[in-house]
Amino acid sequence: MSVSLRLVPPPLHLLDAPAPNWSHLLRLSDDTGLLEHARNAIVRREHGYCVDDVARGLVVASREPQPGAHVITLAERYLAFVTHATAPDGRVRNRLSYERRWLDEPDIGDWWGRALWGLGTAAARSTIPWVRREAREAFSVAAQQRSPWARAMAFAGLGAAEVLRADPRAGEAAQLLADAATVIGLPGRDPSWVWPERELTYANPALPEVLIHAGDLLGDEPLLADGLRMLGWLCRMQDHDGHLSLVPVGGWSPGLDRHRFDQQPIEAAAVADACATAAAVTGDDAWDAPLLAAISWFLGDNDTGSVMYDPQTGGGYDGLTADGPNLNQGAESTLALVATLQHARTWAGRGATRPSGGPA
């Protein structure tokens, strides 16, 4: 199932992408969880922890095919944090102070969806049997709930897809994935704005990625085609002079000028995730071009030509501004970097050749 992607090959230095580096995540983590913010590379304990980031950490740690002892330890701590945040009815708290006091009540916002994403990924991919079992049980608890918000349901749908790929008999995962696709909605008919919402905001690639998973795993070919069309359109929207230019903070709306800054690393990681899923589901190597553009964004092929990580610390920079990187190295940006470099390693391991460009 091919899709038109007006993208050019990434630069040759992409072939020298570094291996995923866990040093800064170890710096940001303690025996409770993953601290959210840093000033430069120094953790800011006063901001505490959040499920949003700890669940992302569980996703990334669980994706390691041959994790070392330090990654396994992080995955265990992140899993314990997420399960502790989950109420018996499946709702999830988000913010914990450094003094280990919860600052909010259980709810079904984005963090609930990300908790399910982390739990589903650990249940499907962890190399540790007891981690898979515990994550699967916790997934079933959180999967009792539904959220009215598209992105919360998209994150939950990503976790459901992980569980369903590992166990096609997982009925609650299949139902959650189907419900997520329904909340996200279908692309519109206007070719200039096919997005189901009137604005591009944040975590945009997760929406078509869930439709792609749902179409594939639930046997719905039209839904799969819709997801691929949405993702292809989004990739074209973010193609700026042959490189990836991410939807920034503040978003984009039809008919208005597209401002370029501030761009968030987590958005590049979401592009890499979605395009890797599209490539895996369709077998179409046209998706390599936007995947590699997302990797290359961290390596300096972006709107300011800035490398978006610190090779000394292993930390990812917190955002791309008109003046270059925001040099703070928080959890979200570092996880985005590591997740994207995991895709780079997988791509390189396939022995792939650099694409000659997306299909016309």
Side-chain angles (χ1 to χ4, degrees):
M1 192 174 294
S2 185
V3 66
S4 176
L5 300 169
R6 294 195 309 268
L7 290 163
V8 300
L12 286 172
H13 73 258
L14 179 61
L15 301 178
D16 297 323
N21 184 340
W22 295 85
S23 298
H24 193 53
L25 289 174
L26 290 166
R27 186 179 293 113
L28 294 175
S29 299
D30 60 15
D31 61 355
T32 297
L34 175 61
L35 288 147
E36 184 175 6
H37 290 299
R39 182 169 52 244
N40 293 302
I42 299 299
V43 65
R44 301 188 68 180
R45 292 182 174 89
E46 66 271 24
H47 293 286
Y49 318 81
C50 66
V51 165
D52 280 319
D53 286 339
V54 177
R56 290 184 183 110
L58 184 56
V59 169
V60 173
S62 300
R63 286 175 173 177
E64 277 294 289
Q66 296 179 311
H70 59 295
V71 176
I72 292 172
T73 297
L74 290 180
E76 292 171 353
R77 290 177 183 171
Y78 298 164
L79 175 59
F81 189 100
V82 174
T83 57
H84 180 50
T86 304
D89 67 357
R91 293 176 300 144
V92 177
R93 298 179 188 268
N94 189 29
R95 297 200 169 275
L96 184 73
S97 74
Y98 188 66
E99 294 74 28
R100 297 189 181 184
R101 290 193 301 269
W102 286 112
L103 304 177
D104 57 358
E105 294 300 319
D107 210 334
I108 49 173
D110 284 358
W111 56 93
W112 164 83
R114 290 191 179 103
L116 278 160
W117 185 13
L119 294 169
T121 305
R125 300 204 200 188
S126 175
T127 61
I128 309 302
W130 76 261
V131 168
R132 292 197 303 272
R133 291 193 301 271
E134 175 65 20
R136 184 67 177 82
E137 291 175 11
F139 175 90
S140 294
V141 173
Q144 299 174 81
Q145 292 288 341
R146 297 292 185 271
S147 177
W149 296 294
R151 279 158 184 77
M153 286 297 285
F155 302 138
L158 294 175
E162 292 278 3
V163 171
L164 195 56
R165 285 198 186 279
D167 179 10
R169 300 167 299 175
E172 84 275 34
Q175 188 59 59
L176 178 56
L177 181 58
D179 291 346
T182 298
V183 172
I184 289 167
L186 300 176
R189 298 176 181 271
D190 180 358
S192 68
W193 193 266
V194 306
W195 205 247
E197 303 167 323
R198 294 309 301 166
E199 184 180 12
L200 287 166
T201 56
Y202 67 98
N204 300 297
L207 276 62
E209 185 181 1
V210 168
L211 299 189
I212 292 166
H213 279 302
D216 180 44
L217 290 166
L218 304 178
D220 188 332
E221 286 290 331
L223 186 60
L224 172 59
D226 284 335
L228 293 169
R229 184 160 70 94
M230 278 175 58
L231 182 57
W233 177 84
L234 179 62
C235 289
R236 292 191 297 274
M237 287 284 286
Q238 296 187 121
D239 175 24
H240 184 223
D241 296 334
H243 63 258
L244 179 63
S245 182
L246 297 162
V247 176
V249 173
W252 288 342
S253 298
L256 299 179
D257 291 340
R258 298 180 204 167
H259 57 288
R260 298 288 170 187
F261 305 101
D262 297 326
Q263 297 178 32
Q264 302 296 297
I266 197 68
E267 302 301 325
V271 172
D273 280 353
C275 292
T277 293
V281 166
T282 65
D284 187 349
D285 62 8
W287 294 104
D288 280 358
L291 167 61
L292 297 178
I295 300 166
S296 192
W297 184 90
F298 285 94
L299 306 182
D301 194 25
N302 52 50
D303 283 320
T304 67
S306 301
V307 173
M308 289 301 296
Y309 69 96
D310 184 337
Q312 292 185 314
T313 66
Y317 294 139
D318 274 358
L320 181 64
T321 76
D323 298 321
N326 172 344
L327 297 177
N328 293 332
Q329 300 168 38
E332 177 185 292
S333 55
T334 300
L335 289 164
L337 170 68
V338 173
T340 306
L341 293 179
Q342 287 175 324
H343 286 300
R345 179 184 57 197
T346 299
W347 182 83
R350 295 201 323 252
T353 57
R354 196 164 55 92
S356 59

